[in-house]
Amino acid sequence: MRRLFLLALVLLSGCRPKTGEPLEAKVRFVPEHPTVGKAEVCIEVDPRLELVRVEVVGDMTHAGMIPVEAEAHPAGPGLWRVEDFDFNMRGDWVLTITAYDKKGKKYVKEVRLTVP
Amino acid sequence: MKTPDLLRVPLLGRFFRWRYSRFALQVPLLLVALLALYDGFFGRQLAPKNFATVSVWLHYRGFLVLAIAVLGNLFCAACPMLLVRGPTRFAKRFLPEFKWPRALCNKYFVIALTLFYLFAYEYWDLWASPWLTAWLILGYFGVAFVVDTLFPEGTFCKYVCPLGNFNFTLSTVSPTQITARDPEVCLSCEGKYCVNGRVETPSGRKTLREAPNAEGVRYPGCETKLYVPQIKSNMDCTLCMNCVRACPYDNVAWKLRAPGTEPAWARYKIDVVWLGVLLFFAGFMNAFAMVPPYYQLAEHLAEVLGTRNEAVLLSTIYVLWTGLGLFLTLGVTTLADRVSGVRASPLKAVRFWGSGFFPLAFAMWAGHYAFHFLTGWASIIPVTQQALANLGLPVGEPDWTLAALVPENWLYPLQVAILYLGLLAASYVLFRRARERNHFLAGGIVFTYFFLLVALALWVLAQPMEMRGTLLLPQ
Ligand code: SF4
Ligand code: SF4
């Protein structure tokens, strides 16, 4: 019985959608410590990655909050930027940065910050 | 006045008389609990995108207060935790059964557990952690199993379960109640089967109490030991409908009644009243812990106490607030007693006036939960899709922008309306109590206290939200 359960778990976790490779990136904000309102999000990656699309999704850590979604724009070699990311509430935020390269490969990075 | 009996409604009555009606209600919630466990342990650890946190902290709590307001304690009726009964009955064959200690046959143990749970909720940010939420569900099943194995059935619901007792307390304002159709029939009822259980043996009808092992068709009685003709309150009633099935005379009714009025005529024991008072102040704190003034207070307290230890600060805030609440309640109700010429003890004063807190407690929690539920109700769709996708089911791409049920600017007026309705019901309780004493000024004193508490609650709900896990910002 236990083996069956373990086997089912392994199989089920095998079915889970792929989340992507870890993205090596430096993430900065302007202002450095964002407060409630708009802020710039700068994402610096290795230019050799040849990314074609970068998305930023901001979630609060409480269930039921609508995520803030934004598309980053290229702003130089390996530099991507969201000019007016809307931190619309005080509290803990989790930014999920999802990037795709030319071949469609997906990279993901998570950044946690507190907006006072 | 004759009030409608919901068990006379054709399909509803038939459903609740059916032996497996409770099981049918429990299965969907069991499936929800299993999916929450799976996603909580193995899914993405992000509260708004995990089925465990969204289903437990948003929908379970939202639907719970809605069900209590519209019908009654349906969530105890459908509680999947009681599906541990099969395993506990098996385990009982090998283990001794103990009597629940007399000293704990009241609500004080539940009050202590509720306080601990509220502390844990803030300290470990249960609302933000799918993993801890899954552990909470699992732990709950485990405790229900242990308590129901070692003690008589019903012990867990009545004396241990903080959630069940939360439901019991808030359902005192519900618009329905179990009662006897004809009390005369009960007077001549030989077995009091609604409470003692019934077994139809080949040699005749017996109570399960006198013949616990008799062969035959068995109808368990009320596990929380409520005797139908004497029921005056929803306190301790899980709406399991055992009494309906156990009564051989079809003499149990599930009647509609005026919502919010029970606390005006029911006489609760002091431990029950304290539970109601505590739930109001705890509900207030639960909302206050999500607004900026709470964090400012924590910073100030950290300076005064010279510590940034979150456990110390959180405990201090909770102890001060609930202590202040209980102390003020003692003071104000005693003053009302003295003004009306009664020289009883302060505890008797709380017992007399304190049931007015029940509708207030309901309104406080309902106002707070309504906010979360209505802002994020539709998020259950993408999180369910994602959890099922994790299980390998083809359910399509989740749409994470699904969220609000009503426009955001409706929320505060709605919360105001809920709190005023609570205050209205509480003032009815106070008016009835004051009329008993023939002294309306005494009722007015307690009403002023309630009014100020509601004003304070409205101020809290009007603050901008701040959803932060850490009490203090890093220095
Ligand atoms: S409700 Fe039914 S079982 Fe209970 S005392 Fe009355 S007649 Fe007897
Ligand atoms: S058996 Fe007891 S708990 Fe169940 S519905 Fe009847 S009175 Fe309520």
Side-chain angles (χ1 to χ4, degrees), chain B residues 33-239:
Chain B
L34 288 175
L35 194 58
L37 282 174
Y38 174 72
D39 211 28
F41 284 130
F42 305 112
R44 188 171 177 204
Q45 294 301 305
L46 183 56
K49 294 198 166 155
N50 190 290
F51 187 80
T53 26
V54 171
S55 62
V56 170
W57 303 121
L58 214 64
H59 291 79
Y60 188 82
R61 302 196 303 183
F63 279 126
L64 188 143
V65 288
L66 195 66
I68 284 175
V70 174
L71 207 56
N73 186 2
L74 289 184
F75 274 78
C76 276
C79 176
M81 245 91 71
L82 291 191
L83 288 172
V84 297
R85 277 292 151 73
T88 55
R89 280 183 193 145
F90 179 74
K92 269 181 195 291
R93 290 197 218 155
F94 311 103
L95 292 166
E97 188 178 274
F98 300 97
K99 269 187 105 172
W100 186 249
R102 259 185 93 82
L104 299 182
C105 287
N106 49 51
K107 300 296 183 193
Y108 293 120
F109 186 54
V110 164
I111 288 177
L113 287 178
T114 306
L115 281 172
F116 175 72
Y117 159 75
L118 290 166
F119 173 82
Y121 178 82
E122 297 298 345
Y123 186 65
W124 285 292
D125 306 324
L126 301 183
W127 46 273
S129 169
W131 191 74
L132 287 178
T133 305
W135 271 112
L136 183 73
I137 300 170
L138 201 61
Y140 230 108
F141 273 95
V143 176
F145 174 77
V146 172
V147 175
D148 259 17
T149 300
L150 297 179
F151 298 97
E153 288 175 352
T155 303
F156 178 73
C157 303
K158 193 164 176 167
Y159 299 123
V160 182
C161 180
L163 186 57
N165 279 276
F166 175 87
N167 298 350
F168 294 155
T169 311
L170 299 200
S171 67
T172 55
V173 305
S174 290
T176 63
Q177 188 207 298
I178 293 288
T179 186
R181 245 174 219 148
D182 181 358
E184 294 293 315
V185 177
C186 298
L187 283 179
S188 56
C189 172
E190 67 289 1
K192 319 291 181 214
Y193 303 100
C194 52
V195 65
N196 292 326
R198 167 165 69 102
V199 53
E200 297 290 345
T201 70
S203 59
R205 178 176 297 156
K206 293 194 168 76
T207 67
L208 275 173
R209 200 178 186 165
E210 60 181 325
N213 302 316
E215 287 295 322
V217 188
R218 303 158 73 86
Y219 301 93
C222 181
E223 287 176 353
T224 52
K225 300 289 167 249
L226 301 177
Y227 176 43
V228 167
Q230 286 179 353
I231 293 177
K232 298 271 181 293
S233 160
N234 280 339
M235 183 52 75
D236 293 341
C237 178
T238 60
L239 280 188

Side-chain angles (χ1 to χ4, degrees), chain B residues 202-420:
Chain B
S203 59
R205 178 176 297 156
K206 293 194 168 76
T207 67
L208 275 173
R209 200 178 186 165
E210 60 181 325
N213 302 316
E215 287 295 322
V217 188
R218 303 158 73 86
Y219 301 93
C222 181
E223 287 176 353
T224 52
K225 300 289 167 249
L226 301 177
Y227 176 43
V228 167
Q230 286 179 353
I231 293 177
K232 298 271 181 293
S233 160
N234 280 339
M235 183 52 75
D236 293 341
C237 178
T238 60
L239 280 188
C240 65
M241 304 290 172
N242 274 1
C243 51
V244 176
R245 292 179 287 268
C247 175
Y249 307 108
D250 192 18
N251 196 35
V252 180
W254 184 21
K255 290 232 166 156
L256 285 183
R257 61 179 194 174
T261 54
E262 178 196 306
W265 33 261
R267 283 284 188 259
Y268 305 109
K269 290 205 238 151
I270 184 69
D271 52 320
V272 172
V273 176
W274 278 133
L275 180 60
V277 175
L278 172 92
L279 284 183
F280 172 78
F281 285 97
F284 183 98
M285 200 45 161
N286 198 254
F288 184 54
M290 299 190 85
V291 296
Y294 170 75
Y295 297 106
Q296 285 154 13
L297 176 72
E299 290 286 353
H300 183 68
L301 204 62
E303 262 175 45
V304 172
L305 298 179
T307 176
R308 296 186 73 80
N309 183 311
E310 211 168 290
V312 173
L313 295 174
L314 205 58
S315 314
T316 311
I317 294 175
Y318 266 78
V319 168
L320 283 180
W321 173 245
T322 43
L324 181 73
L326 302 186
F327 180 75
L328 276 177
T329 304
L330 264 173
V332 172
T333 53
T334 307
L335 177 68
D337 256 13
R338 297 292 181 270
V339 166
S340 61
V342 175
R343 304 252 158 245
S345 72
L347 284 183
K348 282 197 174 140
V350 173
R351 200 175 157 212
F352 185 76
W353 299 101
S355 58
F357 267 103
F358 288 53
L360 279 193
F362 174 81
M364 189 69 237
W365 286 99
H368 183 192
Y369 285 175
F371 175 88
H372 291 297
F373 181 66
L374 295 175
T375 46
W377 81 282
S379 59
I380 195 70
I381 298 167
V383 290
T384 309
Q385 276 176 300
Q386 182 176 262
L388 293 175
N390 287 345
L391 281 166
L393 298 173
V395 279
E397 267 300 298
D399 176 2
W400 295 107
T401 55
L402 284 174
L405 180 63
V406 297
E408 212 180 305
N409 53 358
W410 289 15
L411 292 173
Y412 187 62
L414 184 75
Q415 290 179 304
V416 173
I418 292 173
L419 269 150
Y420 277 143

Side-chain angles (χ1 to χ4, degrees), chain A residues 9 12-13 15-17 57 59-67 69 89-96 110 112 114-116, chain B residues 42-49 53-54 58 127-128 290 292 372 375-376 379 390-392 400 403 465-469 473:
Chain A
L9 265 187
L12 286 176
S13 29
C15 300
R16 298 175 65 184
V57 176
D59 285 289
M60 297 211 70
T61 52
H62 198 289
M65 302 310 292
I66 314 171
E69 297 183 353
M89 195 179 277
R90 293 172 186 230
D92 296 335
W93 282 82
V94 179
L95 294 197
T96 309
E110 219 178 75
R112 291 182 181 246
T114 299
V115 173
Chain B
F42 305 112
R44 188 171 177 204
Q45 294 301 305
L46 183 56
K49 294 198 166 155
T53 26
V54 171
L58 214 64
W127 46 273
M290 299 190 85
H372 291 297
T375 46
S379 59
N390 287 345
L391 281 166
W400 295 107
M465 280 270 181
E466 179 159 355
M467 295 178 178
R468 204 164 93 191
L473 283 174

